[in-house]
Every structure is written in structure tokens, then in C-alpha cells.
């Protein structure tokens, strides 16, 4: 479990004058899910394309299951699967026909391609729809079929690039179940996603990418611990907003942010503040609170803290959208 099956060291990639990767390092243990997170344009898709042998780095190197992604690309391709951001299935074929086609494209003998297609359809709950034209599939079924096609050769490493984008909650849950099944069988999954709850639920480890490099990594809980607990206050009287902000600043040492017309939140990076302390200090200041709570930060808050840019995005160009933006903080002073 602890031996890295995916290793990237010092990856650099340019697209014209844009420096998409700036020394990206990554290690993914076998049999785990690694969530690759970052703003649009941070370099995630470029990194996946290099690891999947679809692009070559300008500097640095990467290995999959001990094989170099440039010098031994054929060996790498025999060990990986890839499902991109958009379903790459033929809508005019049936689900079974798509899987048989992919099996043949992977040079499986006809009988083996047919057997493998039937096996995957049954395993991932697509048997009932197997002989229907894919054009009539729901978005979730189509996406699940796309993921299944990447499993024809039983890959050791599966790259999933935003696999649940645009899906409804039920369909997302079905994809999550499929990913958990694969990992239980020993497949290593490298997952890029814009849904942070998805990474929180699925990933054993997370690597946050910004400006072409990994800026933080660890388990979801480890990343949350880096920014400390949060103190949330909902006021009974919005007129006491400034007084409440003064108390929260005194407790935390930083300005709180408005999370609503009557609510404030602040990170307790130093620790040591108890709920009773906050209630007592608010009471002393004459601030009536409808609710006071201490909580662990969400992964969204960690992400925003780590990728707060406040400036131009100079990540990917041509490979990923360049629409990423930093967190706009509304501090109350």
C-alpha cells in the first residue's frame, strides 16, 4: 500500500510563453485514491496527460509501475486506463457494442473482447441496458459506461479527469461506488475533480496544485488541520456586527469574514479557544448570539486558503481553462 506506483519528479511543461507545470512532484501509493485538486488552469490536466503518455514533459520525469512515461510509453499504456472529462463512447452503438469495440481496439481476441464486455456490464450494473443504444442512456449511465471502457485491460492505474461533472447526485453516487469497487480490487485511481466533497469522500490522499506545482498534500483530515478549527457566530441582532467582529478578532488574532447578513466566521489557527470562551466574551461585549459553534474547516475552505491568488492566473494554457480566481475575502473591521 505504501509503495508509490505513480511517481512524478520535477515536471515542467511550456505551451508557448505559458509555463503550465513548474516542477510538479507527485507520489501515489498503490491501491489508493489520490485526489488532484486545483483551480482551473493550475496544471492538473497537463499533469494527467503527461502521466498518461499523451504529452511529454519539457523537463523532469515520471514513472508508472516502474516504467518511464517517455522512454517506456508502450509499457505504461499497457498498465493504465483513462476516462477524460467527456464521455468517449459511440452513441450509435449499444453499451455492449461499445465495450466489444474497445476490446478489439485494444487487440483482444474477439472471444475475449466479448467475454470481458459481458463481465464488466454485469459488474457495474449495466446489463439491463447493455443492448440499448447509448443515445438513450442517461448522463450517469453514459459516464459510467465511459469509465467501464477504460477497464477493458484491467489497468493497474486509472486516471479519472472530472468523472462526475454535470451529473445529478444519484449518478455521482453510482460513479463513486464504482470507484470504491475498483480500489477494493487493488486499482490505483488518480482523480481530478472540481467537487471537493467528492475528493473528501473518495481520496486517501490529496495533492493541491496551483501555478503548476503541488502546494500542499496529505489526507483530507491533515489538510484541514493545517488551517485550524473555525468559530462561527450567528447574531440575534445584525446591528451588533462590528462588536461581534471585534470580539472574534481578539479571540483569533485575525479579522473574521462575513458569511451572511447576520453571520461571521474566523479561523482559530492558534488553537486553544473553547466554545465557552467565545460565548463568555460575546456576552461580556453585550453581543446577543443566536448561535455560536466551533467546527472543523471544510475542504472547500482549505482549498480556497491554499489557492488564494489575488492576481493573474498563469497556469495551463490550451490544456485547461484559465478561469480560476482567488478567494475574495470580505473582512469586517
Amino acid at each position: 500500500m505504501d509503495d508509490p506506483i505513480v511517481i512524478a519528479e520535477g515536471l515542467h511543461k511550456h505551451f508557448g510563453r505559458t509555463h503550465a507545470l513548474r516542477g510538479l512532484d507527485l507520489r501515489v501509493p498503490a491501491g489508493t485514491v489520490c485526489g488532484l485538486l486545483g483551480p482551473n488552469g493550475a496544471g492538473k490536466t497537463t499533469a494527467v496527460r503527461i502521466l498518461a503518455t499523451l504529452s511529454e514533459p519539457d523537463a523532469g520525469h515520471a514513472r508508472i509501475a516502474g516504467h518511464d512515461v517517455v522512454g517506456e510509453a508502450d509499457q505504461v499504456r499497457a498498465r493504465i486506463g483513462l476516462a477524460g472529462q467527456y464521455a468517449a463512447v459511440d452513441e450509435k452503438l449499444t453499451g455492449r457494442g461499445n465495450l466489444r469495440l474497445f476490446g478489439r481496439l485494444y487487440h483482444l481476441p474477439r472471444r475475449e473482447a466479448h467475454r470481458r464486455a459481458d463481465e464488466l456490464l454485469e459488474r457495474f450494473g449495466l446489463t439491463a441496458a447493455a443492448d440499448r443504444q447509448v443515445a438513450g442512456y442517461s448522463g450517469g449511465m453514459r459516464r459510467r459506461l465511459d469509465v467501464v471502457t477504460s477497464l477493458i485491460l484491467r489497468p493497474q492505474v486509472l486516471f479519472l479527469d472530472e468523472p462526475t461533472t454535470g451529473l445529478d447526485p444519484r449518478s455521482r453516487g453510482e460513479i463513486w461506488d464504482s470507484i470504491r469497487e475498483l480500489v477494493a480490487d487493488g486499482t490505483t485511481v488518480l482523480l481530478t475533480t472540481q467537487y471537493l466533497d467528492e475528493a473528501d469522500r473518495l481520496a486517501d490522499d490529496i495533492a493541491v496544485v496551483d501555478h503548476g506545482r503541488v502546494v500542499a498534500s496529505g489526507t483530507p483530515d491533515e489538510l484541514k488541520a493545517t488551517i485550524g478549527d473555525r468559530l462561527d457566530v450567528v447574531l440575534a441582532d445584525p446591528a451588533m456586527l462590528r462588536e461581534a467582529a471585534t470580539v472574534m478578532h481578539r479571540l483569533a488574532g485575525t479579522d473574521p469574514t462575513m458569511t451572511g447578513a447576520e453571520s461571521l466566521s474566523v479561523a482559530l489557527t492558534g488553537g486553544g479557544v473553547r466554545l465557552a470562551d467565545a460565548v463568555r466574551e460575546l456576552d461580556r461585549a453585550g453581543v446577543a448570539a443566536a448561535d455560536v459553534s466551533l467546527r472543523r474547516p471544510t475542504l472547500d475552505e482549505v482549498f480556497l486558503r491554499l489557492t488564494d491568488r489575488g492576481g493573474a492566473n498563469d497556469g495551463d494554457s490550451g490544456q485547461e481553462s484559465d478561469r480560476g480566481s482567488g478567494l475574495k475575502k470580505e473582512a469586517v473591521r
Side-chain angles (χ1 to χ4, degrees), residues 221-267:
D221 283 343
E222 287 171 345
L223 291 177
K224 292 172 187 176
T226 63
I227 68 171
D229 290 341
R230 295 196 70 86
L231 171 64
D232 293 337
V233 175
V234 179
L235 301 174
D237 181 3
M240 301 298 291
L241 196 66
R242 291 189 180 279
E243 291 79 359
T246 300
V247 172
M248 295 173 74
H249 182 279
R250 186 164 63 247
L251 289 168
T254 58
D255 289 319
T257 59
M258 291 183 63
T259 54
E262 303 172 356
S263 56
L264 299 169
S265 181
V266 70

Side-chain angles (χ1 to χ4, degrees), residues 230-233 235 243-244 246-252 266 268 272-289 291-294:
R230 295 196 70 86
L231 171 64
D232 293 337
V233 175
L235 301 174
E243 291 79 359
T246 300
V247 172
M248 295 173 74
H249 182 279
R250 186 164 63 247
L251 289 168
V266 70
L268 302 173
V273 176
R274 298 175 303 168
L275 185 61
D277 299 329
V279 172
R280 183 171 53 251
E281 291 301 316
L282 288 166
D283 186 58
R284 283 177 180 172
V287 177
D291 185 63
V292 182
S293 61
L294 280 175

Side-chain angles (χ1 to χ4, degrees), residues 51 77 86 92 128 188 199 263 284:
L51 293 171
R77 289 173 191 141
Y86 306 100
K92 295 181 180 180
T188 303
S263 56
R284 283 177 180 172

